Structure formats: C-alpha cells, structure tokens
C-alpha cells in the first residue's frame, strides 16, 4: 500500500483507478483501509480543485446536470415548467427560494452556491 498526497491530475486519475480496483474489497481488510484513505485524499483534492463554491449558481446547476446526465426537461419537477427552466438556465429569471431548496436537495449543490449573486 503506497499512498501519497494527490498533487496533480495524474495523481488524481491514478487514485481514481486504484479506487476502482479496491471498490469490491472485503470488509475490515487492509484493502478497505486503503480504499478509505484514498477516498479521503480524492475528496480533499476535489474540494480544492473542483469546488462548487467557486461557481455561479447557473454554472453549478449546469455542471451538476452534466455530471448526472440530466437534460433541462429533467429539472421541471425542481424548477417549474419547461419555459421556467429555460428562463432560469438562460438567466432571464432568478432562482426563487423554493427552487434553491429543491435544487440543493436533489442535485446536492450547496445552498450557499445557489443563493449567491449572479
């Protein structure tokens, strides 16, 4: 088990590959310990380099949509009809508090990010 701090994209990609190798390991094993440590290192690297906090609200929504493979129509249950979703994503309409709460809960975007000025 060779574990080191993730300093760059190459280290990050190698860590993700190692997680894939360890994902089905036995519980309470050395491999599980390694998996947990590497997962924490990956989480730390992602927080430092891919934090949602640095994005504007609509950018954060679009990034999460891409990550989850969502289309604008998939947001109708969170924002409103297709027209309202279109207006929000094109920044013609501001997010309302209920929209922010729904998006935060269902897309796991921090409320602070969604409530920031844009």
């Amino acid at each position: 088990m060779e574990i080191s701090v993730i300093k760059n994209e190459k280290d990050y990609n190698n860590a993700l590959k190692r997680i894939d190798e360890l994902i089905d390991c036995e519980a309470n094993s050395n491999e599980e310990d390694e998996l947990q440590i590497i997962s924490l290192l990956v989480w730390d690297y992602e927080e430092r380099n891919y934090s949602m906090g640095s994005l504007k609200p609509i950018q954060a929504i679009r990034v999460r949509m891409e990550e989850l493979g969502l289309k604008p129509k998939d947001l109708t249950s969170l924002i409103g009809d297709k027209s309202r979703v279109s207006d929000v994503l094109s920044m013609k309409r501001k997010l309302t508090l209920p929209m922010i709460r729904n998006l935060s809960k269902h897309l796991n975007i921090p409320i602070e990010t969604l409530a920031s000025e844009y």
Side-chain angles (χ1 to χ4, degrees), residues 51-91:
S51 174
M52 284 280 187
S54 63
L55 297 176
K56 300 283 186 205
I58 304 308
Q59 291 173 313
I61 294 168
R62 288 187 178 280
V63 166
R64 188 65 81 209
M65 287 172 64
E66 184 176 328
E67 290 173 349
L68 299 174
L70 299 176
K71 305 275 186 231
K73 68 178 180 170
D74 299 321
L75 299 183
T76 56
S77 64
L78 306 175
I79 293 177
D81 62 25
K82 287 179 12 179
S83 174
R84 182 160 293 164
V85 171
S86 176
D87 287 348
V88 166
L89 293 178
S90 65
M91 295 191 287

Side-chain angles (χ1 to χ4, degrees), residues 2-103:
E2 184 179 324
I3 298 175
S4 62
V5 175
I6 300 173
K7 298 175 186 169
N8 53 47
E9 285 294 310
K10 181 181 177 189
D11 293 345
Y12 174 69
N13 288 323
N14 288 337
L16 292 177
K17 287 178 190 172
R18 185 64 181 147
I19 287 172
D20 283 341
E21 294 168 2
L22 295 170
I23 201 71
D24 293 322
C25 66
E26 287 186 37
N28 301 315
S29 66
N30 289 337
E31 288 81 14
E32 183 183 46
D33 292 343
E34 181 181 358
L35 175 62
Q36 290 176 351
I37 292 167
I38 293 173
S39 296
L40 288 171
L41 291 169
V42 165
W43 178 84
D44 178 66
Y45 183 82
E46 289 175 344
E47 282 295 305
R48 288 184 284 121
N49 293 281
Y50 305 115
S51 174
M52 284 280 187
S54 63
L55 297 176
K56 300 283 186 205
I58 304 308
Q59 291 173 313
I61 294 168
R62 288 187 178 280
V63 166
R64 188 65 81 209
M65 287 172 64
E66 184 176 328
E67 290 173 349
L68 299 174
L70 299 176
K71 305 275 186 231
K73 68 178 180 170
D74 299 321
L75 299 183
T76 56
S77 64
L78 306 175
I79 293 177
D81 62 25
K82 287 179 12 179
S83 174
R84 182 160 293 164
V85 171
S86 176
D87 287 348
V88 166
L89 293 178
S90 65
M91 295 191 287
K92 293 177 183 173
R93 179 186 292 260
K94 296 280 188 181
L95 291 168
T96 64
L97 186 56
M99 289 177 198
I100 290 170
R101 287 180 178 148
N102 284 335
L103 291 164

